[in-house]
Amino acid sequence: MDPVLYNDWHPVARSSQIAAGAMLAADLLETRVVLWRDSGGALHAWEDRCPHRGTRLSMGTLQDDTLRCPYHGWAFGKEGRCTHIPALPNAPLKAQVAVYHVQERYGMAWVCLGEPAHAGPPAFPEFADGLLRKVWCGPYDVQSSAPRIVENFLDMAHFAFVHEGILGDKQQPVVPDYTVETFDDAEYGSGVWAKQCHAWQPQASRSATGGSDIEYTYRVVRPLSTILTKHPPGAIREAIALFSQPLTETSTRVWIIMALNDFVSSEGSMREFQDTIFLQDKPILESQHPARLPLAPGAEVSVLCDRMSLAYRSYLKQQDLHYGVIR
Ligand code: FES
Ligand code: CO
């Protein structure tokens, strides 16, 4: 397993999906995870696999902070230790379920399967801004690698073709030059960002009324996480975070959180807008071959306006990522 991802935090569910006393099964990096919330409200993440015969614990029951396997009824307490074996009540209780690190942030449950290399999920300071409304979109399941999906999120040259009439205009396909830099910042964390990115957009957001020139800043904040901020004309502010839940090397669940000061549009219509955009990207992403992102400079042909994509590829190489890429 790739230590970079194994020791990083990944989103696996919305917090609101798991009520006290409830369980939820999730997949992460080819590992089955069961999330469950105890009576005190604390969230737990375990391997979703009974140590007795490998059954999914999430198919069992959760009662009095005890998970009971559906197969032979073995019971497991808060720390993942077996507390009861119904078929042999005096048997030594040696069985232990693998327990993972879990925390809740940005309204989501984040899991680290290994030993956390970071204190928590990537920085997303716009989320803490009380003047911005938060809208959760997706999740979107894509049959592609998370790095292909992140790279697509950073790509502006596809707007005029894939998102024609919304984020782009076929009559204006040229991508003006922009700046790419690495950054290390107390507020934003570290990574690589692209600034002064400009695009003419017929319908830049749900609330836009007509076309406008939008300035974007893209920042890559972890190997599989990226945040864009838009600087539309006027007093509108908008940040969109894309967080990946890698299921396998070539299948990914994508979570998008918007932080924006549009308090007029309905939440449903804003989600619908994001769904439309993402569902336009999905078939393109699923058609890309190979599904893993090639990191060698000559593996695919690039032009100058692909500079941010190339910077992202170098960043992945420098982060020593192996999963979902071809080195
Ligand atoms: Fe879980 Fe037997 S497989 S109790
Ligand atoms: Co797109």
Side-chain angles (χ1 to χ4, degrees), residues 128-151:
D129 187 333
L131 298 176
L132 300 178
R133 178 180 177 188
K134 316 302 166 343
V135 179
W136 286 260
C137 303
Y140 307 104
D141 286 338
V142 184
Q143 294 306 311
S144 190
S145 64
R148 281 278 193 202
I149 295 164
V150 170
E151 192 184 83

Side-chain angles (χ1 to χ4, degrees), residues 31 41-42 66 72 105 131 133 181 196 234 280 310 322 325-326:
T31 304
T66 300
H72 310 99
R105 198 92 177 266
L131 298 176
R133 178 180 177 188
E181 290 166 351
Q196 290 105 36
Q280 290 173 333
L310 296 179
H322 282 75
V325 297
I326 302 170

Side-chain angles (χ1 to χ4, degrees), residues 50 52-55 69 71-74:
C50 179
H52 181 218
R53 289 294 179 268
T55 308
C69 178
Y71 197 1
H72 310 99
W74 289 23

